[in-house]
Protein backbone atom coordinates (compact mmCIF):
# COMPACT_ATOMS: atom_id res chain seq x y z
CA UNK A 1 0.00 0.00 0.00
CA UNK A 2 1.40 3.42 -0.88
CA UNK A 3 1.30 6.07 1.83
CA UNK A 4 -0.97 8.16 -0.42
CA UNK A 5 -3.64 5.44 -0.33
CA UNK A 6 -3.61 5.24 3.46
CA UNK A 7 -6.69 6.51 5.24
CA UNK A 8 -6.07 6.74 8.95
CA UNK A 9 -8.35 7.27 11.91
CA UNK A 10 -6.50 8.67 14.93
CA UNK A 11 -8.40 8.71 18.21
CA UNK A 12 -6.99 11.07 20.82
CA UNK A 13 -5.38 13.04 18.00
CA UNK A 14 -5.88 16.43 19.67
CA UNK A 15 -3.60 15.30 22.49
CA UNK A 16 0.13 15.46 22.90
CA UNK A 17 1.38 12.35 21.05
CA UNK A 18 -1.64 12.08 18.74
CA UNK A 19 -1.20 15.55 17.26
CA UNK A 20 2.44 14.82 16.38
CA UNK A 21 1.41 11.49 14.88
CA UNK A 22 -1.18 13.23 12.70
CA UNK A 23 1.45 15.68 11.43
CA UNK A 24 3.69 12.77 10.43
CA UNK A 25 0.89 10.83 8.73
CA UNK A 26 -0.15 13.90 6.73
CA UNK A 27 3.46 14.67 5.82
CA UNK A 28 3.71 11.18 4.36
CA UNK A 29 0.63 11.69 2.20
CA UNK A 30 -2.09 9.89 4.17
CA UNK A 31 -5.65 11.14 4.69
CA UNK A 32 -6.41 11.49 8.39
CA UNK A 33 -9.54 11.80 10.50
CA UNK A 34 -9.22 12.59 14.19
CA UNK A 35 -11.82 11.68 16.82
CA UNK A 36 -11.30 13.34 20.18
CA UNK A 37 -13.54 14.56 23.01
CA UNK A 38 -11.07 17.34 23.93
CA UNK A 39 -10.98 16.11 27.52
CA UNK A 40 -7.22 16.60 27.81
CA UNK A 41 -6.46 17.40 24.18
CA UNK A 42 -6.56 20.87 22.71
CA UNK A 43 -7.91 22.19 19.43
CA UNK A 44 -4.79 24.40 19.38
CA UNK A 45 -2.67 21.30 18.77
CA UNK A 46 -4.43 20.87 15.41
CA UNK A 47 -5.12 24.53 14.56
CA UNK A 48 -2.33 24.58 11.94
CA UNK A 49 -4.26 21.94 9.95
CA UNK A 50 -7.34 24.12 9.47
CA UNK A 51 -6.92 24.39 5.71
CA UNK A 52 -5.51 20.91 5.11
CA UNK A 53 -7.96 19.10 2.78
CA UNK A 54 -6.68 15.65 3.79
CA UNK A 55 -7.52 16.25 7.46
CA UNK A 56 -10.83 16.29 9.32
CA UNK A 57 -11.74 16.50 12.99
CA UNK A 58 -14.77 15.02 14.76
CA UNK A 59 -15.45 15.88 18.38
CA UNK A 60 -16.80 12.72 20.01
CA UNK A 61 -16.26 10.43 22.98
CA UNK A 62 -15.07 6.95 22.00
CA UNK A 63 -17.14 5.47 24.82
CA UNK A 64 -20.26 6.35 22.84
CA UNK A 65 -21.49 4.93 19.56
CA UNK A 66 -19.03 6.17 16.96
CA UNK A 67 -20.27 9.09 14.81
CA UNK A 68 -22.10 8.08 11.61
CA UNK A 69 -19.95 10.43 9.55
CA UNK A 70 -17.02 8.07 10.10
CA UNK A 71 -18.63 5.80 7.54
CA UNK A 72 -17.14 7.21 4.36
CA UNK A 73 -19.42 5.64 1.77
CA UNK A 74 -17.42 3.19 -0.29
CA UNK A 75 -14.12 4.49 1.05
CA UNK A 76 -12.71 2.51 3.95
CA UNK A 77 -10.25 3.39 6.65
CA UNK A 78 -7.05 1.39 6.25
CA UNK A 79 -5.52 2.14 9.66
CA UNK A 80 -6.88 2.91 13.13
CA UNK A 81 -4.46 4.41 15.63
CA UNK A 82 -6.26 4.25 18.97
CA UNK A 83 -4.70 6.75 21.37
CA UNK A 84 -7.77 8.21 23.08
CA UNK A 85 -7.27 8.11 26.84
CA UNK A 86 -6.12 10.61 29.43
CA UNK A 87 -2.51 9.67 30.21
CA UNK A 88 -1.43 11.86 33.11
CA UNK A 89 -2.13 10.49 36.62
CA UNK A 90 -4.07 13.56 37.89
CA UNK A 91 -6.17 13.67 34.72
CA UNK A 92 -6.93 9.95 34.46
CA UNK A 93 -7.70 9.85 38.20
CA UNK A 94 -10.03 12.87 38.03
CA UNK A 95 -12.82 10.66 36.59
CA UNK A 96 -11.65 7.06 37.06
CA UNK A 97 -14.91 5.56 35.83
CA UNK A 98 -14.57 7.42 32.55
CA UNK A 99 -10.92 6.35 32.25
CA UNK A 100 -11.78 2.68 32.72
CA UNK A 101 -14.67 2.89 30.27
CA UNK A 102 -12.51 4.71 27.73
CA UNK A 103 -10.04 1.82 27.90
CA UNK A 104 -12.65 -0.95 27.76
CA UNK A 105 -15.71 0.35 25.87
CA UNK A 106 -13.66 2.75 23.77
CA UNK A 107 -11.23 0.04 22.69
CA UNK A 108 -14.07 -2.37 21.94
CA UNK A 109 -15.81 0.30 19.83
CA UNK A 110 -12.64 0.98 17.86
CA UNK A 111 -11.82 -2.72 17.42
CA UNK A 112 -15.32 -3.33 16.05
CA UNK A 113 -14.94 -0.33 13.79
CA UNK A 114 -11.59 -1.62 12.50
CA UNK A 115 -13.18 -5.03 11.89
CA UNK A 116 -16.04 -3.47 9.92
CA UNK A 117 -13.65 -1.34 7.88
CA UNK A 118 -11.04 -4.06 7.36
CA UNK A 119 -8.48 -1.67 8.90
CA UNK A 120 -5.30 -2.49 10.77
CA UNK A 121 -5.56 -1.45 14.43
CA UNK A 122 -2.90 -0.10 16.80
CA UNK A 123 -3.52 0.30 20.53
CA UNK A 124 -1.34 2.64 22.58
CA UNK A 125 -0.95 0.72 25.81
CA UNK A 126 1.48 1.72 28.52
CA UNK A 127 4.41 0.75 30.71
CA UNK A 128 1.86 1.09 33.54
CA UNK A 129 0.75 -2.47 32.75
CA UNK A 130 3.97 -3.47 34.59
CA UNK A 131 2.80 -1.57 37.69
CA UNK A 132 5.54 -1.14 40.29
CA UNK A 133 7.87 -3.64 38.63
CA UNK A 134 9.89 -6.32 40.42
CA UNK A 135 11.78 -7.06 37.17
CA UNK A 136 14.13 -4.38 35.89
CA UNK A 137 14.38 -3.33 33.11
CA UNK A 138 10.96 -4.45 31.93
CA UNK A 139 10.73 -6.86 28.97
CA UNK A 140 7.34 -7.52 27.35
CA UNK A 141 7.36 -11.01 28.89
CA UNK A 142 7.15 -9.56 32.42
CA UNK A 143 3.54 -9.77 33.57
CA UNK A 144 3.67 -6.90 36.00
CA UNK A 145 2.77 -6.07 39.58
CA UNK A 146 -0.35 -3.91 39.56
CA UNK A 147 -2.62 -2.98 42.45
CA UNK A 148 -6.08 -3.58 41.01
CA UNK A 149 -7.86 -1.54 43.72
CA UNK A 150 -5.58 1.51 43.92
CA UNK A 151 -6.07 4.98 42.42
CA UNK A 152 -3.91 4.14 39.38
CA UNK A 153 -5.91 0.99 38.60
CA UNK A 154 -8.50 2.74 36.41
CA UNK A 155 -5.67 3.34 33.96
CA UNK A 156 -3.33 0.38 34.57
CA UNK A 157 -6.08 -2.23 34.69
CA UNK A 158 -8.03 -0.41 31.99
CA UNK A 159 -5.08 -0.66 29.61
CA UNK A 160 -4.50 -4.29 30.58
CA UNK A 161 -8.14 -5.01 29.68
CA UNK A 162 -7.71 -3.05 26.44
CA UNK A 163 -4.73 -5.26 25.55
CA UNK A 164 -6.79 -8.35 26.38
CA UNK A 165 -9.62 -7.27 24.09
CA UNK A 166 -7.17 -6.41 21.33
CA UNK A 167 -5.52 -9.82 21.38
CA UNK A 168 -8.91 -11.55 21.65
CA UNK A 169 -9.94 -9.84 18.39
CA UNK A 170 -6.62 -10.89 16.85
CA UNK A 171 -6.92 -14.53 17.99
CA UNK A 172 -10.40 -14.69 16.50
CA UNK A 173 -8.89 -13.31 13.26
CA UNK A 174 -11.32 -10.41 13.38
CA UNK A 175 -8.70 -7.62 13.24
CA UNK A 176 -5.02 -7.31 12.34
CA UNK A 177 -3.59 -5.69 15.48
CA UNK A 178 -0.48 -4.05 16.92
CA UNK A 179 0.02 -3.07 20.58
CA UNK A 180 2.61 -0.51 21.71
CA UNK A 181 3.55 -0.30 25.39
CA UNK A 182 4.62 3.33 25.62
CA UNK A 183 7.05 4.44 28.33
CA UNK A 184 7.22 8.05 29.60
CA UNK A 185 7.20 10.37 26.60
CA UNK A 186 7.65 14.15 26.61
CA UNK A 187 7.98 17.10 24.27
CA UNK A 188 6.24 20.15 22.83
CA UNK A 189 2.41 20.28 23.00
CA UNK A 190 2.17 18.77 26.44
CA UNK A 191 -0.23 20.90 28.43
CA UNK A 192 1.27 23.19 31.05
CA UNK A 193 -1.32 21.76 33.44
CA UNK A 194 -0.82 18.18 32.23
CA UNK A 195 0.52 17.20 35.65
CA UNK A 196 3.30 14.88 34.47
CA UNK A 197 6.80 15.46 35.70
CA UNK A 198 8.50 16.97 32.63
CA UNK A 199 5.82 19.57 31.92
CA UNK A 200 5.47 20.39 35.62
CA UNK A 201 9.13 21.00 36.33
CA UNK A 202 9.92 22.75 33.04
CA UNK A 203 7.02 25.17 33.57
CA UNK A 204 7.94 25.68 37.23
CA UNK A 205 11.58 26.33 36.29
CA UNK A 206 10.64 28.82 33.57
CA UNK A 207 8.44 30.71 36.04
CA UNK A 208 11.03 30.55 38.87
CA UNK A 209 8.34 28.76 40.91
CA UNK A 210 9.00 26.00 43.42
CA UNK A 211 9.86 22.69 41.75
CA UNK A 212 7.65 19.93 43.14
CA UNK A 213 9.48 16.65 43.71
CA UNK A 214 7.18 13.90 44.92
CA UNK A 215 8.83 11.77 47.60
CA UNK A 216 12.61 11.96 47.92
CA UNK A 217 13.19 12.10 44.16
CA UNK A 218 15.07 8.78 44.03
CA UNK A 219 12.39 7.07 41.91
CA UNK A 220 13.46 6.55 38.30
CA UNK A 221 11.88 6.97 34.88
CA UNK A 222 13.23 6.76 31.31
CA UNK A 223 12.10 9.59 29.05
CA UNK A 224 11.50 9.33 25.32
CA UNK A 225 11.22 12.36 23.05
CA UNK A 226 7.97 12.56 21.11
CA UNK A 227 9.43 12.40 17.58
CA UNK A 228 11.11 9.09 18.44
CA UNK A 229 7.84 7.77 19.84
CA UNK A 230 5.89 8.72 16.70
CA UNK A 231 8.53 7.02 14.57
CA UNK A 232 8.19 3.86 16.68
CA UNK A 233 4.39 3.88 16.49
CA UNK A 234 4.42 4.21 12.70
CA UNK A 235 7.03 1.48 12.30
CA UNK A 236 4.98 -0.79 14.52
CA UNK A 237 1.79 -0.10 12.58
CA UNK A 238 3.62 -0.84 9.30
CA UNK A 239 5.45 -3.94 10.59
CA UNK A 240 4.99 -7.19 8.70
CA UNK A 241 4.12 -9.77 9.85
CA UNK A 242 2.21 -8.71 12.94
CA UNK A 243 4.45 -9.16 16.00
CA UNK A 244 1.67 -11.16 17.69
CA UNK A 245 2.62 -9.62 21.06
CA UNK A 246 3.02 -6.16 22.59
CA UNK A 247 6.11 -4.11 21.79
CA UNK A 248 7.79 -1.77 24.30
CA UNK A 249 8.52 1.71 22.93
CA UNK A 250 10.58 4.02 25.10
CA UNK A 251 14.02 5.37 25.77
CA UNK A 252 16.15 3.11 28.02
CA UNK A 253 18.07 6.11 29.36
CA UNK A 254 16.99 5.88 33.02
CA UNK A 255 17.46 8.62 35.60
CA UNK A 256 16.05 9.67 38.95
CA UNK A 257 13.49 12.44 39.24
CA UNK A 258 16.08 14.46 41.19
CA UNK A 259 18.57 14.10 38.32
CA UNK A 260 15.90 15.26 35.90
CA UNK A 261 15.23 18.32 38.06
CA UNK A 262 18.97 19.15 38.13
CA UNK A 263 19.14 18.98 34.35
CA UNK A 264 16.11 21.22 33.90
CA UNK A 265 17.42 23.75 36.41
CA UNK A 266 20.78 23.83 34.61
CA UNK A 267 19.37 24.27 31.14
CA UNK A 268 16.82 26.94 32.10
CA UNK A 269 19.13 28.83 34.48
CA UNK A 270 16.16 28.94 36.85
CA UNK A 271 16.19 30.35 40.38
CA UNK A 272 13.50 27.88 41.51
CA UNK A 273 13.79 26.10 44.84
CA UNK A 274 13.05 22.39 45.12
CA UNK A 275 10.19 21.44 47.46
CA UNK A 276 9.19 17.89 48.34
CA UNK A 277 5.59 16.70 48.25
CA UNK A 278 4.17 13.32 49.33
CA UNK A 279 4.78 10.45 46.95
CA UNK A 280 1.54 9.49 45.18
CA UNK A 281 0.00 6.13 46.14
CA UNK A 282 1.44 3.20 44.13
CA UNK A 283 3.96 5.46 42.37
CA UNK A 284 6.34 2.99 40.65
CA UNK A 285 9.83 3.07 42.22
CA UNK A 286 11.63 2.54 38.93
CA UNK A 287 10.92 2.10 35.26
CA UNK A 288 13.08 1.37 32.25
CA UNK A 289 12.10 -0.37 29.02
CA UNK A 290 13.86 -3.36 27.56
CA UNK A 291 13.55 -2.43 23.88
CA UNK A 292 15.21 -5.53 22.40
CA UNK A 293 11.98 -6.54 20.67
CA UNK A 294 11.51 -3.12 19.04
CA UNK A 295 15.15 -3.17 17.92
CA UNK A 296 14.79 -6.66 16.45
CA UNK A 297 11.49 -6.42 14.65
CA UNK A 298 11.16 -2.70 13.92
CA UNK A 299 14.82 -1.71 13.60
CA UNK A 300 13.83 1.07 15.98
CA UNK A 301 15.60 2.82 18.80
CA UNK A 302 15.39 6.40 20.11
CA UNK A 303 17.68 8.95 18.53
CA UNK A 304 16.99 12.18 20.45
CA UNK A 305 19.03 12.43 23.64
CA UNK A 306 17.57 13.88 26.81
CA UNK A 307 19.47 17.17 26.66
CA UNK A 308 18.29 17.97 23.11
CA UNK A 309 14.73 16.87 23.93
CA UNK A 310 14.55 18.94 27.10
CA UNK A 311 15.94 21.99 25.30
CA UNK A 312 13.27 21.71 22.59
CA UNK A 313 10.58 21.21 25.20
CA UNK A 314 11.72 24.15 27.33
CA UNK A 315 11.93 26.35 24.22
CA UNK A 316 8.36 25.43 23.30
CA UNK A 317 6.99 26.14 26.79
CA UNK A 318 8.90 29.43 26.88
CA UNK A 319 7.22 30.42 23.63
CA UNK A 320 3.83 29.41 25.06
CA UNK A 321 4.49 31.62 28.05
CA UNK A 322 5.30 34.56 25.81
CA UNK A 323 2.07 33.92 23.92
CA UNK A 324 0.23 33.96 27.26
CA UNK A 325 -1.20 30.49 26.94
CA UNK A 326 -2.40 28.15 29.67
CA UNK A 327 0.60 28.48 31.97
CA UNK A 328 -0.27 29.21 35.53
CA UNK A 329 -3.26 26.90 35.40
CA UNK A 330 -3.64 25.20 38.73
CA UNK A 331 -2.02 21.77 38.78
CA UNK A 332 -4.32 18.90 39.51
CA UNK A 333 -3.23 16.68 42.34
CA UNK A 334 -3.19 12.92 42.79
CA UNK A 335 -3.98 10.89 45.88
CA UNK A 336 -0.89 10.79 48.06
CA UNK A 337 0.35 8.50 50.84
P1 LIG B 1 -3.04 13.25 26.10
O1 LIG B 1 -3.87 13.35 27.32
O2 LIG B 1 -2.29 14.43 25.63
O3 LIG B 1 -3.91 12.73 24.86
C1 LIG B 1 -5.03 11.89 25.02
C2 LIG B 1 -6.11 12.35 24.06
O4 LIG B 1 -7.23 11.47 24.15
C3 LIG B 1 -6.61 13.75 24.40
O5 LIG B 1 -6.67 14.53 23.23
C4 LIG B 1 -7.99 13.51 24.99
O6 LIG B 1 -8.86 14.61 24.81
C5 LIG B 1 -8.41 12.26 24.25
N1 LIG B 1 -9.41 11.43 24.96
C6 LIG B 1 -9.35 10.97 26.22
N2 LIG B 1 -10.43 10.21 26.49
C7 LIG B 1 -11.20 10.22 25.37
C8 LIG B 1 -12.44 9.63 25.03
N3 LIG B 1 -13.13 8.87 25.91
N4 LIG B 1 -12.95 9.84 23.78
C9 LIG B 1 -12.27 10.61 22.88
N5 LIG B 1 -11.09 11.19 23.15
C10 LIG B 1 -10.55 10.99 24.39
O7 LIG B 1 -2.04 12.02 26.34
P2 LIG B 1 -0.82 11.47 25.48
O8 LIG B 1 0.37 11.56 26.32
O9 LIG B 1 -0.82 12.09 24.13
O10 LIG B 1 -1.20 9.93 25.38
C11 LIG B 1 -1.73 9.37 24.19
C12 LIG B 1 -1.87 7.87 24.37
O11 LIG B 1 -0.58 7.30 24.66
C13 LIG B 1 -2.80 7.47 25.51
O12 LIG B 1 -3.55 6.33 25.11
C14 LIG B 1 -1.85 7.08 26.61
O13 LIG B 1 -2.40 6.11 27.47
C15 LIG B 1 -0.66 6.54 25.85
N6 LIG B 1 0.58 6.66 26.63
C16 LIG B 1 1.21 7.86 26.74
C17 LIG B 1 2.36 7.95 27.51
C18 LIG B 1 3.13 9.23 27.64
O14 LIG B 1 4.14 9.26 28.35
N7 LIG B 1 2.76 10.32 26.98
C19 LIG B 1 2.85 6.83 28.20
C20 LIG B 1 2.15 5.63 28.08
C21 LIG B 1 1.02 5.55 27.29
N1 LIG C 1 6.62 13.66 39.84
C1 LIG C 1 7.26 14.62 40.60
N2 LIG C 1 6.84 15.90 40.52
C2 LIG C 1 5.82 16.30 39.71
C3 LIG C 1 5.17 15.33 38.92
C4 LIG C 1 5.59 14.01 39.02
O1 LIG C 1 8.20 14.31 41.35
O2 LIG C 1 5.51 17.51 39.69
C5 LIG C 1 7.09 12.27 39.90
C6 LIG C 1 6.02 11.20 40.05
O3 LIG C 1 5.71 10.99 41.41
C7 LIG C 1 6.69 10.01 39.41
C8 LIG C 1 7.55 10.61 38.30
O4 LIG C 1 7.72 11.98 38.65
O5 LIG C 1 7.52 9.35 40.32
C9 LIG C 1 6.90 10.53 36.93
O6 LIG C 1 5.58 11.01 37.07
P1 LIG C 1 4.62 11.22 35.81
O7 LIG C 1 3.30 11.62 36.36
O8 LIG C 1 5.29 12.09 34.81
O9 LIG C 1 4.55 9.79 35.13
P2 LIG C 1 4.25 8.31 35.69
O10 LIG C 1 4.22 8.32 37.18
O11 LIG C 1 2.93 7.97 35.11
O12 LIG C 1 5.38 7.53 35.18
Amino acid sequence: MTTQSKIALVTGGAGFIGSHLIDRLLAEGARVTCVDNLQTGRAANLAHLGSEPRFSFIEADVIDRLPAKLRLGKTRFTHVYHLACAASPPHYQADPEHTMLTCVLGTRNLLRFAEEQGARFLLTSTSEVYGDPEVHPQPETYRGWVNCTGPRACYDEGKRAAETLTFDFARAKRVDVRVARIFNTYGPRMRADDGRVVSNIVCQALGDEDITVYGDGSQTRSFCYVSDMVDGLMRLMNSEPAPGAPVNLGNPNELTVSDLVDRVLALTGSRSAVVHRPLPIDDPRRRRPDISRARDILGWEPRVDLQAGLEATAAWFAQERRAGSTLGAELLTVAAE
Side-chain angles (χ1 to χ4, degrees), residues 197 201-202 205 211 213 216-217 255-270 272-274 276 306-307 310:
V197 68
I201 65 177
V202 167
I211 304 256
V213 170
D216 64 7
L255 77 170
T256 65
V257 167
S258 290
D259 287 343
L260 178 70
V261 168
D262 289 345
R263 277 173 170 262
V264 169
L265 287 174
L267 85 86
T268 55
S270 172
S272 293
V274 172
H276 290 267
L306 186 62
Q307 186 67 20
L310 287 176

Side-chain angles (χ1 to χ4, degrees), residues 87-90 92 127-128 152 155 184 194-198 200-201 204 211-215 217 219-221 223 257 260-261 278-280 283-284 287 331:
S88 163
Y92 70 63
S127 55
E128 288 279 327
R152 296 177 88 97
Y155 183 74
N184 298 65
D194 176 273
R196 283 176 279 189
V197 68
V198 173
N200 271 10
I201 65 177
Q204 290 161 344
I211 304 256
T212 53
V213 170
Y214 301 162
Q219 68 273 37
T220 69
R221 294 294 187 273
F223 296 96
V257 167
L260 178 70
V261 168
L279 193 67
D283 198 273
R287 183 182 292 152
L331 299 181

Side-chain angles (χ1 to χ4, degrees), residues 110-124:
L110 270 303
L111 279 163
R112 287 183 162 195
F113 182 73
E115 178 182 27
E116 168 202 309
Q117 298 282 307
R120 186 176 288 181
F121 175 91
L122 183 146
L123 171 73
T124 52

Side-chain angles (χ1 to χ4, degrees), residues 289-304:
D290 177 335
I291 59 165
S292 311
R293 188 175 284 174
R295 279 200 183 98
D296 288 349
I297 63 178
L298 308 179
W300 177 87
E301 61 183 0
R303 292 190 304 199
V304 180

